[in-house]
Amino acid sequence: MAFTILAAYPLSRERKDFRSRTFFIWYFIFTMLFSGGLIPWFMVVKWAGMYNNLGSLVIVPSVQVFNVLILMNFIRNLPKEIEESVFMDGAGHFRALVSIHLPLCKPALATLVLFSFVFHWNNWFDGFLFMSRSENYPLQTYLYTVLTTPDTSNMTADQLRLFTNLSARSIKAAEIFVSTLPIFIIYPFLQKSFTKGMVLGSVKS
C-alpha cells in the first residue's frame, strides 16, 4: 500500500505540476498490456538476489497497476480547493498527502487493502516459482504441495489409515475453508467503504 500511494499521488497531479505525468501513466499501463514472459521475469528476480527469500514475495508484486489507477483517479476527484488552501498555508506535497489526501481517501484505501490482501493471500505461484525450500513456502503454495504430493512419512499407522479414508473432495473443501477464512474475517470491516471506493476510484475527472 505504501508503494501504491507513493506512485498514485504524483500521477494524480496536473500536467503543469508534473510534466512527465502522461509518460509515466502510459508506462504503467504498458506493463498491464505486455510482459516479458516467465523466463525473463525469473531471471530478473534471480539476478536481483531475491531468489529464495521474502523479497521475491514482497517486493516483486508490491505495485499493482490496477490499484494505482484506482487511487490516482480517487485523488483527482477530491476537491481542489482543500488542496490549494493547504499549499497557500505553506505546506508541501508530503504534508498535503499525509494530512489531507490520505484521510479523505479512506474508502479507496480500504478497498485497495482488501484487493491487496486477497491478491497476496491467494498468490501461490510466486512461492512455487521463487522458493526452492518448502519451509519458505507461503500458505497457499504449501497447501498446493500438500494436495498434489502429500507427505505420509511422518504419519502413524492410525493417522495413515484415517488419511486413506479421506476423499479428495473433503481435502479440497478443507483447503478452501482454510484459505478463505481470513477473507471472511476481514471483509465485514471493509464492506462499508468497498463500494464507495470502487465507484469513485473508477471515474476519471
Side-chain angles (χ1 to χ4, degrees), residues 66-80:
F66 179 74
N67 295 350
V68 172
L69 295 179
I70 288 180
L71 185 59
M72 177 194 73
N73 288 324
F74 192 96
I75 295 176
R76 294 193 70 191
N77 286 320
L78 296 177
K80 300 296 182 184

Side-chain angles (χ1 to χ4, degrees), residues 114-159:
L114 182 62
F115 282 176
S116 300
F117 181 83
V118 172
F119 172 79
H120 288 284
W121 183 258
N122 293 331
N123 189 11
W124 65 272
F125 185 69
D126 286 359
F128 188 76
L129 182 64
F130 299 129
M131 296 295 175
S132 61
R133 296 193 297 267
S134 59
E135 59 267 20
N136 292 335
Y137 284 166
L139 178 62
Q140 301 300 331
T141 308
Y142 177 75
L143 290 175
Y144 175 81
T145 57
V146 167
L147 289 176
T148 54
T149 55
D151 185 10
T152 59
S153 59
N154 296 325
M155 291 184 181
T156 63
D158 293 337
Q159 291 175 341

Side-chain angles (χ1 to χ4, degrees), residues 26-38 41 65:
W26 281 109
Y27 176 81
F28 277 91
I29 293 177
F30 183 85
T31 63
M32 296 180 64
L33 304 177
F34 306 98
S35 66
L38 184 60
W41 181 35
V65 179

Side-chain angles (χ1 to χ4, degrees), residues 84-103:
E84 292 174 355
S85 64
V86 174
F87 290 142
M88 289 179 62
D89 290 337
H93 286 285
F94 183 78
R95 182 69 176 179
L97 174 64
V98 174
S99 301
I100 300 298
H101 292 96
L102 291 185

